[in-house]
Amino acid sequence: MLFYGFAVVALLTATVSAQARLWEQCNGGIGWTGPKTCVAGTTCYEWNPYYAQCLDAASPSTATTVRSTTTTTRATTLTTTTRSTVKTTTRSTTSSSSRSSSSSSRTSTVTTQKTTTTTTTKTTTSSGVCGTATFAPISAQSAFDALHPGWNIGNTLDAIPNEGSWNNPPITSAVIDAIKASGYKSIRIPVTWTHHFISSSPIWTIDPTWMNRVEEVVDMVLSKGLWAILNVHHDSWEWFDVTQFDNAGVEERFGALWAQIGDRFKCKNERLLFEPINEPPGTTDAHAAELNKLNDIFLTKINQAGGYNPKRVVTLSGLGQDTYKTINWFQRGTLYPNQPWGLQFHYYSPYDFIFRAWGKSTWGGADEKATLELDFSTFRGNLSGIPVVIGEFGGSPAGLEPAAAWRYFDWFTQMANKYHFSIIAWDNGDDLFNRTTLKWHNPAGQSVLINGAAGKKNALALGTTDGSVPQLSSAFIFHKVGTPVVSQTASYELNGNTLVSIKNGATALTSSQYSFSSTGVLTLTSSYLSTLYSTSSAPGVKAELTLTFSQGAFLTLTIVQWDVPVISQTNFANPTSDFRIPITWNGFNRVAAVRAVWDNGVYVSDDWTVWLPPLQQARWTFGNWGYEANSVVLWQSGADYLRSNKPAGVTNAILTWEFYPRDGYTPGSNAVNVTIGL
Ligand SMILES: *[C@@H]1O[C@H](CO)[C@@H](O)[C@H](O)[C@H]1NC(C)=O
Ligand SMILES: *[C@@H]1O[C@H](CO)[C@@H](O)[C@H](O)[C@H]1NC(C)=O
Ligand SMILES: *[C@@H]1O[C@H](CO)[C@@H](O)[C@H](O)[C@H]1NC(C)=O
């Protein structure tokens, strides 16, 4: 998506001030307690009702005012031109020739050049321009089916200003190989072009070095037989934003950009798809009408560039790549009716679960499943027959409670299959796959996603789904220091599966070490568990068992010896910057939630959370707090909020840090109070 991962990174690395700085979050919906204004030179931009961010306020649209007529005229001219070219192509002879491409030999239909009568334009038909490069025409639906599931190489070529500017190393061939080996069929390549123009209006030339690098990455992906979606990414708010900038200037630059991208990539094979723009901002009829027009400008420019572009599959979208805005407003223009096209939307819902807000660490109740299905069925019902790809969706099982994340991924893939949507997972580099170690942060989550996308029935780890206390999870066996070692259970929803094996590393557990009931209840015997921990063993992760099933994903079962974490100093006076509090984790080193009340018991913010389930009441949004390897952190935005919102008569704020397993916030539970004197 947008900046989720980046925002986290920014919080980790930057010092937050009372006013949010460039890129920082400046609103978070109801009860947002962080800064709501931005430092000078930036402006608070609302992505959605839950997330706003300080963006560069500098308008790029100076000097572009008078160009709309030019653009329009050009577009019209070129439309005519390209249409006639298409006609020429249709009438020209086609010959089937067998060519070997990479490992497999395949037959492609190649149009032979016959530039005779109808057109005198400089657009040449494919073979003339593209030489021996092949292209096997394919329908949008077949292409979308073939690219399912895919993976986003996020926060990379879309980073601002350069690849490497954010949290990821440059893209390597090894990363692409690993993604392919993991079962993905496509890679969406988000690219931000804004900072690579070497001239401005009216020329808008892209730096050839940048264009070469983008082509190198596209070739890397295509050469491995994967599908690729190339787009224009954070440009969407840097200069493309029709809610802020003059339409004519946007049209001019957008047209110039796609003319160049279209030209450079016109001879790539059919596995390269184009996506005009990522998450285009807008909220009104006028914005939507302008976006529909910009989609047509995109089609015009790529067709005008020629090569194989007239037959290339494209993904179009509505405002924000949002389901409901697309339903309300998207209209396919009348230009290039033969261009194979489908729709793309993005899905990050429910927000509180995906973004770990307000203590929400459970998911999967019947109502939540129904809500997700309703979003999908509403989209499909309104846009039946149109190929659809979900170009981004979120949820990192590395940060979320794993069993809840697995349930979410499984249901998401089931519903995507049911409504015939192809899926491409968002990964900012911290969410899913470590591009340095080439390992998945949560291999079981990865397995659930890939198997679910393939239509397999996954067994799932059961656990609390409704936010009640305690939160149970069959992704873990938790054993508390000081308690006797007894047999323990983990429960599974089998979905037609039988258990095949349980292993600890390479060693399979024997039948004397566990039992597994027909209803999916695993019991690990006390004698087996006592090989992993005792009453007094040091806290920590003791083993990670792997359960394989007769079909679908494997799951992991993490065995944790735990005790309540220790924060040696728990009273602090009025922090004024990011405030790191050292912690001894004693088990599973993650904070699940933070409860925030004043010393009179009143909620620090978000008093409406009183209506939420017990695990969520008075819990603070993730952006106010965080955690690192050896500390929990009160970000400056959180500290500032406390200072500036302290009611009369109150001296302290009490922050309760809650850990996994979640069993409440009162004394004796897995939680630690920190008192902030104000
Ligand atoms: C179309 O979308 C609207 C909401 O925008 C929804 O109420 C309606 O049920 C949808 N139609 C179908 C056939 O799904
Ligand atoms: C990826 O792995 C490297 C090397 O072990 C490590 O330094 C880095 O923190 C990891 N990244 C994430 C996001 O876990
Ligand atoms: C933390 O403080 C809150 C508010 O005073 C209190 O209700 C709760 O019991 C305390 N929890 C712990 C673990 O001390």
Side-chain angles (χ1 to χ4, degrees):
M1 110 151 193
L2 345 152
F3 286 100
Y4 168 51
F6 181 63
V8 174
V9 169
L11 285 169
L12 291 172
T13 54
T15 307
V16 187
S17 60
Q19 288 188 311
R21 296 185 187 178
L22 183 64
W23 313 130
E24 286 171 355
Q25 189 170 358
C26 49
N27 208 344
I30 302 166
W32 165 251
T33 57
K36 288 192 175 168
T37 55
C38 295
V39 296
T42 69
T43 173
C44 186
Y45 180 80
E46 184 182 292
W47 287 100
N48 59 45
Y50 320 106
Y51 188 81
Q53 185 181 30
C54 300
L55 302 179
D56 198 334
S59 165
S61 61
T62 41
T64 54
T65 7
V66 208
R67 308 231 171 246
S68 72
T69 36
T70 318
T71 310
T72 313
T73 316
R74 272 188 201 152
T76 314
T77 314
L78 290 165
T79 303
T80 315
T81 307
T82 315
R83 275 188 189 152
S84 61
T85 309
V86 172
K87 267 193 214 153
T88 310
T89 310
T90 319
R91 274 192 264 120
S92 67
T93 48
T94 56
S95 66
S96 286
S97 60
S98 199
R99 285 163 201 261
S100 88
S101 88
S102 58
S103 56
S104 65
S105 155
R106 87 165 106 122
T107 306
S108 324
T109 304
V110 180
T111 48
T112 11
Q113 169 78 359
K114 268 242 160 132
T115 29
T116 42
T117 47
T118 46
T119 166
T120 55
T121 71
K122 55 183 165 25
T123 316
T124 11
T125 50
S126 315
S127 61
V129 174
C130 295
T132 58
T134 62
F135 185 98
I138 185 167
S139 71
Q141 187 61 66
S142 300
F144 284 14
D145 289 344
L147 63 74
H148 170 74
W151 175 80
N152 274 276
I153 188 144
N155 284 18
T156 313
L157 290 171
D158 54 320
I160 295 172
N162 271 304
E163 183 180 13
S165 293
W166 291 354
N167 57 316
N168 287 302
I171 298 166
T172 61
S173 188
V175 168
I176 311 294
D177 284 336
I179 296 300
K180 183 177 180 185
S182 300
Y184 289 95
K185 302 296 193 293
S186 60
I187 297 186
R188 179 167 173 263
I189 307 168
V191 180
T192 299
W193 302 82
T194 310
H195 307 275
H196 307 283
F197 288 98
I198 52 173
S199 68
S200 57
S201 178
I203 307 296
W204 297 117
T205 309
I206 292 294
D207 179 353
T209 310
W210 179 252
M211 191 66 102
N212 289 344
R213 174 59 180 157
V214 175
E215 185 177 14
E216 187 175 46
V217 171
V218 167
D219 285 345
M220 223 186 265
V221 174
L222 295 179
S223 71
K224 295 176 195 298
L226 292 169
W227 294 75
I229 300 183
L230 177 63
N231 84 351
V232 171
H233 204 81
H234 292 307
D235 305 79
S236 59
W237 52 263
E238 289 203 281
W239 54 265
F240 182 93
D241 181 352
V242 297
T243 71
Q244 296 198 51
F245 307 127
D246 148 67
N247 288 352
V250 170
E251 290 167 14
E252 177 192 89
R253 188 159 12 166
F254 187 62
L257 178 54
W258 270 110
Q260 292 168 79
I261 302 171
D263 184 55
R264 175 60 73 103
F265 294 92
K266 63 179 182 267
C267 295
K268 300 302 175 192
N269 69 28
E270 71 286 353
R271 280 183 278 104
L272 175 65
L273 277 56
F274 290 152
E275 168 195 338
I277 187 74
N278 176 68
E279 300 182 2
T283 50
T284 65
D285 289 352
H287 300 150
E290 181 61 19
L291 178 61
N292 292 333
K293 179 179 178 189
L294 285 156
N295 278 329
D296 268 352
I297 290 175
F298 155 78
L299 290 175
T300 301
K301 295 300 176 178
I302 61 166
N303 274 273
Q304 175 188 1
Y308 295 123
N309 287 348
K311 300 200 167 180
R312 189 172 303 288
V313 177
V314 300
T315 81
L316 302 176
S317 73
L319 291 173
Q321 294 182 321
D322 170 86
T323 50
Y324 290 93
K325 287 179 179 175
T326 305
I327 290 169
N328 283 342
W329 282 312
F330 174 80
Q331 271 181 2
R332 172 70 166 90
T334 53
L335 300 185
Y336 306 100
N338 296 325
Q339 187 89 44
W341 70 282
L343 282 169
Q344 180 174 166
F345 74 80
H346 295 175
Y347 196 82
Y348 289 100
S349 184
Y351 171 87
D352 49 2
F353 175 65
I354 299 296
F355 296 98
R356 289 183 275 166
W358 304 298
K360 183 160 171 67
S361 58
T362 62
W363 189 87
D367 51 340
E368 292 181 313
K369 288 180 161 182
T371 300
L372 191 149
E373 175 156 18
L374 181 64
D375 288 343
F376 282 21
S377 66
T378 302
F379 193 83
R380 181 45 88 201
N382 279 269
L383 296 154
S384 59
I386 298 178
V388 173
V389 59
I390 304 176
E392 294 186 15
F393 63 95
S396 161
L400 300 172
E401 195 288 304
W406 300 340
R407 280 193 291 278
Y408 182 83
F409 274 8
D410 180 71
W411 187 249
F412 184 91
T413 54
Q414 281 192 52
M415 291 302 105
N417 289 343
K418 178 171 177 181
Y419 294 99
H420 204 169
F421 303 152
S422 300
I423 61 168
I424 306 180
W426 179 253
D427 187 359
N428 66 19
D430 296 338
D431 296 328
L432 301 178
F433 184 71
N434 187 318
R435 298 185 204 162
T436 308
T437 58
L438 304 181
K439 293 207 158 62
W440 294 93
H441 294 311
N442 185 273
Q446 155 66 17
S447 179
V448 168
L449 203 159
I450 288 288
N451 281 283
K456 303 235 179 84
K457 299 273 190 201
N458 292 317
L460 295 170
L462 288 177
T464 314
T465 57
D466 61 1
S468 59
V469 179
Q471 178 180 5
L472 304 175
S473 167
S474 289
F476 298 97
I477 295 284
F478 285 115
H479 175 258
K480 193 172 183 192
V481 172
T483 63
V485 178
V486 294
S487 65
Q488 292 220 47
T489 61
S491 300
Y492 298 87
E493 180 183 313
L494 289 172
N495 298 320
N497 275 278
T498 52
L499 180 73
V500 172
S501 70
I502 306 183
K503 289 184 176 170
N504 182 359
T507 310
L509 271 63
T510 62
S511 57
S512 65
Q513 294 173 320
Y514 73 93
S515 64
F516 195 82
S517 80
S518 59
T519 56
V521 180
L522 169 70
T523 305
L524 294 172
T525 63
S526 56
S527 61
Y528 175 65
L529 290 172
S530 58
T531 66
L532 303 177
Y533 54 74
S534 69
T535 297
S536 58
S537 316
V541 172
K542 297 299 176 183
E544 187 165 282
L545 308 185
T546 302
L547 284 75
T548 51
F549 295 90
S550 50
Q551 59 170 325
F554 67 85
L555 299 176
T556 51
L557 179 59
T558 304
I559 315 273
V560 184
Q561 171 91 344
W562 71 279
D563 207 341
V564 180
V566 175
I567 294 177
S568 50
Q569 187 189 339
T570 55
N571 279 273
F572 300 97
N574 206 8
T576 54
S577 58
D578 288 347
F579 194 66
R580 291 176 169 76
I581 306 170
I583 186 170
T584 305
W585 290 103
N586 282 341
F588 192 62
N589 54 354
R590 263 193 226 170
V591 178
V594 173
R595 183 177 184 274
V597 295
W598 303 115
D599 54 19
N600 62 7
V602 173
Y603 293 7
V604 156
S605 63
D606 309 319
D607 53 359
W608 56 274
T609 59
V610 70
W611 304 110
L612 296 180
L615 281 178
Q616 296 194 250
Q617 291 163 8
R619 301 325 193 260
W620 230 7
T621 51
F622 186 61
N624 291 320
W625 55 271
Y627 53 95
E628 295 173 344
N630 301 307
S631 55
V632 299
V633 190
L634 172 63
W635 299 118
Q636 184 176 342
S637 54
D640 287 347
Y641 182 87
L642 296 178
R643 199 170 27 257
S644 48
N645 290 279
K646 179 177 76 90
V650 158
T651 315
N652 300 307
I654 296 159
L655 306 181
T656 313
W657 300 77
E658 295 171 67
F659 309 93
Y660 293 107
R662 292 190 72 183
D663 59 356
Y665 65 91
T666 52
S669 51
N670 191 13
V672 174
N673 271 359
V674 168
T675 302
I676 306 290
L678 298 157

